[in-house]
């Protein structure tokens, strides 16, 4: 057992030693944290997960490195809801380095969707993609999208079009950095989240032909958005154009209650989650021998937790060990052979299994030129002054007493035609240092800086 933990620890250290760019780690639905890595396709290789895609005709342009590999869970999201994507420069530490991305990385941020008949097997590359959000340079605030993302601690909010038909979708984030176009070229950072969107209609989304694209193939290296020289041009006088098609945002009635997700559902027997791994209850025990068997079961699950943990971290595994396996070992040793205790109840709280949310969930970004006919765009999801951390599956009956947390459920609010449901927020008062599962390393906080990261990328790209 110890050896596996040791290996997991090493992986974290290596993750911290690699230079980093940016990666999508976490999705929030109407302000509720779905958990680090949950529903997100990211490379399992901590050394590469934050790296740009090599070549704009690479199939990985669709969902990133290892982006054709499905993850076990698909997050439910109503049409018209607000999604927030969290990006990190260091996959398991949201506050390390510049937070989401080095400030040198100016360019654009876009979100695309693709409806898929089968969330596990439909190839992300190919046709059917449409853009729902884009931000490049905002001349009113004189801010590049990357700077805005840094100011918002890596949290980007956008709304799902309300007229999407019920179904499974890949939501693709595309961050393009153009700070080094004469060197390494534009850098594309791409990941996908697996969503089940509930709408008011069924069937296939009907995308106007000029707004439907194939990925790869949706951009050319000669596109103005990929050749724009930020050192020679001023975006206030020479506007920067985000690459790709114009956004398509079908309006409609929003979610219906009849939509039923069947694939990628987080099982009800799940008593703790880390990314796309779930713990289930250990077998009953009523004597010493059975107690140790239950202990073995717990530690075997812990092994799987660590081996399945993506670069976004293994905090949930640590919680599973400390709040379940260690306690079973204690009872086996002390002769308390009746169990498991708190059978079937959640272990720890949702927020403990993810990195602390580094900032307040921002409101929905206003994307210039994006229109959604007849639809009220939800305003920022608010929950008082706290960060939108935690909540999860909304079932916190497994929380242990003495947890230093407060629940705060604001009343539902109505804004225009849109009823914004209360967002569970959790104020974490515990010092961050006791939460962190990553070993402390001596790597400089910013990993040696921006240019080093990009040079390192060039060197690696040349070798591979
Ligand atoms: Cu970079």
């Amino acid at each position: 057992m110890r050896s596996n933990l040791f290996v997991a620890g090493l992986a974290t250290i290596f993750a911290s030693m690699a230079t980093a760019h940016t990666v999508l780690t976490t999705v929030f639905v109407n302000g509720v944290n779905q958990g680090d890595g949950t529903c997100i396709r990211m490379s399992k290789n901590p050394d590469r997960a934050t790296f740009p895609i090599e070549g704009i005709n690479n199939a990985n342009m669709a969902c990133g490195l290892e982006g054709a590999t499905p993850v076990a869970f698909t997050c439910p999201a109503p049409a018209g809801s607000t999604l927030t994507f969290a990006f990190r420069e260091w996959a398991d530490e949201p506050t390390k380095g510049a937070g989401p991305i080095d400030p040198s990385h100016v360019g654009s941020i876009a979100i695309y969707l693709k409806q898929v008949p089968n969330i596990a097997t439909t190839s992300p590359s190919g046709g059917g993609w449409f853009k729902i959000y884009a931000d490049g340079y905002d001349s009113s605030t004189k801010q590049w999208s990357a700077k805005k993302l840094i100011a918002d601690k890596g949290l980007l909010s956008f709304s799902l079009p309300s007229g999407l038909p019920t179904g499974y979708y890949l939501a693709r984030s595309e961050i393009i950095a153009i700070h080094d176009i004469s060197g390494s070229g534009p850098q594309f950072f791409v990941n996908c989240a697996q969503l089940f969107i509930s709408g008011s209609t069924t069937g296939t989304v009907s995308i106007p032909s000029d707004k439907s694209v194939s990925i790869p193939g949706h951009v050319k290296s000669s596109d103005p958005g990929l050749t724009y020289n930020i050192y020679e041009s001023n975006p206030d006088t020479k506007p920067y154009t985000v690459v790709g098609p114009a956004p398509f945002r079908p309006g409609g009635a929003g979610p219906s209650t009849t939509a039923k997700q069947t694939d990628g559902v987080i099982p009800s027997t799940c008593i703790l989650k880390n990314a796309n791994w779930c713990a289930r209850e250990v077998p009953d025990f009523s004597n010493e021998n059975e107690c140790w068997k239950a202990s073995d079961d717990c530690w075997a699950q812990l092994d799987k937790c660590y081996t399945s943990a993506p670069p976004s971290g293994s905090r949930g595994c640590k919680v599973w060990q400390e709040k379940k396996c260690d306690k079973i070992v204690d009872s086996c040793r002390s002769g308390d052979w009746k169990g498991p205790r708190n059978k079937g109840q959640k272990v720890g709280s949702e927020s403990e299994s993810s990195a602390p949310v580094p900032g307040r969930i921002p409101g929905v970004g206003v994307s210039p030129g994006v229109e959604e006919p007849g639809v009220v765009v939800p305003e920022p999801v608010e929950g008082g002054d706290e960060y939108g951390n935690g909540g999860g599956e909304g079932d916190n009956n497994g929380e242990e007493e003495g947890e230093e947390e407060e629940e705060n459920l604001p009343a539902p609010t109505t804004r225009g035609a849109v009823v914004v449901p209360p967002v569970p927020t959790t104020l974490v008062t515990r010092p961050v240092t006791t939460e962190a599962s990553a070993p402390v390393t001596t790597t400089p906080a910013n990993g040696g800086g921006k240019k080093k990261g990009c040079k390192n990328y060039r060197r690696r790209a040349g070798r591979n």
Side-chain angles (χ1 to χ4, degrees), residues 24 41 53-69 85 110-114 116 122-130 170-175 188-193 213-219:
L24 169 68
R41 297 185 182 182
I53 304 306
E54 294 170 8
I56 63 170
N57 294 315
N58 191 325
N60 291 337
M61 277 291 274
C63 279
L65 192 60
E66 297 166 45
T69 307
F85 277 5
I111 306 292
Y112 289 74
L113 293 179
K114 173 174 172 157
V116 290
T122 305
S123 173
S125 61
W129 288 100
F130 58 100
L170 292 167
R172 169 183 184 268
S173 59
E174 177 188 79
I175 297 184
F188 286 79
F189 303 99
V190 172
N191 289 97
C192 285
V213 291
S214 255
I215 302 179
H218 70 309
V219 294

Side-chain angles (χ1 to χ4, degrees), residues 50 72 132 139 144 169 200 206 225 254 292 297 317 339 351 381 384 410 427 456:
T50 67
I132 60 164
S139 51
W144 286 98
Y169 290 79
S200 57
S206 158
W292 287 112
D297 182 274
C317 310
S351 57
V381 176
L427 181 65
N456 190 43

Side-chain angles (χ1 to χ4, degrees), residues 170-201:
L170 292 167
R172 169 183 184 268
S173 59
E174 177 188 79
I175 297 184
I176 302 177
I178 54 168
H179 60 293
D180 195 23
I181 51 167
S182 56
S184 59
Q187 299 179 349
F188 286 79
F189 303 99
V190 172
N191 289 97
C192 285
Q194 297 181 179
L195 301 178
F196 176 78
I197 298 178
S198 48
S200 57
T201 59

Side-chain angles (χ1 to χ4, degrees), residues 250-386:
S256 78
T257 50
T258 53
K260 185 103 177 82
Q261 177 179 353
T262 52
D263 297 333
V265 180
I266 296 168
S268 57
T269 53
C270 185
I271 55 174
L272 181 147
K273 180 167 68 57
N274 189 80
N276 297 287
W277 170 90
C278 260
R280 46 166 177 71
E281 188 53 274
V282 302
D284 289 348
F285 53 93
S286 55
N287 59 48
E288 181 173 17
N289 188 38
E290 285 172 358
C291 188
W292 287 112
K293 273 195 178 139
S295 166
D296 287 348
D297 182 274
C298 195
W299 291 92
Q301 290 195 60
L302 181 65
D303 265 352
K304 292 212 172 98
C305 186
Y306 275 115
T307 44
S308 71
S312 55
S314 51
R315 286 172 174 80
C317 310
K318 186 166 182 268
V319 174
W320 178 247
Q321 185 197 325
E322 292 177 352
K323 297 202 168 173
K324 195 75 176 181
C325 304
D326 284 351
K327 296 213 163 145
I328 294 175
V329 168
D330 286 348
S331 23
C332 296
R333 283 195 181 133
S334 66
D336 179 12
W337 299 327
K338 269 231 170 318
R341 256 191 220 168
N342 305 321
K343 182 176 169 180
Q345 290 186 12
K346 302 249 184 221
V347 177
S349 67
E350 278 289 321
S351 57
E352 283 177 281
S353 296
S354 293
V357 178
R360 191 193 171 88
I361 303 292
V364 175
V366 178
S367 191
V370 178
E371 283 165 31
E372 184 169 359
V375 167
V376 181
V377 176
E379 279 186 26
V381 176
E382 293 179 33
D385 291 321
E386 301 82 24

Side-chain angles (χ1 to χ4, degrees), residues 216-228:
H218 70 309
V219 294
K220 301 189 303 290
S221 49
S222 59
D223 284 343
L226 300 181
T227 56
Y228 192 98

Side-chain angles (χ1 to χ4, degrees), residues 20-22 50 52 101-102 104-105 177 179 187 189 450 453-454 457:
H21 301 257
T22 192
T50 67
I101 193 167
D102 190 275
S104 64
H105 286 48
H179 60 293
Q187 299 179 349
F189 303 99
K450 57 222 107 162
C454 295
Y457 164 60

Side-chain angles (χ1 to χ4, degrees), residues 23-95:
V23 63
L24 169 68
T25 62
T26 315
V27 57
F28 300 71
V29 179
N30 281 331
V32 178
N33 191 345
Q34 304 297 298
D36 283 350
T38 302
C39 302
I40 293 176
R41 297 185 182 182
M42 77 179 82
S43 169
K44 288 291 295 292
N45 181 349
D47 211 18
R48 305 289 290 180
T50 67
F51 274 49
I53 304 306
E54 294 170 8
I56 63 170
N57 294 315
N58 191 325
N60 291 337
M61 277 291 274
C63 279
L65 192 60
E66 297 166 45
T69 307
V71 291
F73 299 145
T74 298
C75 291
S81 61
T82 296
L83 296 195
T84 304
F85 277 5
F87 297 90
R88 297 179 191 162
E89 185 176 353
W90 301 89
D92 60 349
E93 291 293 341
T95 55

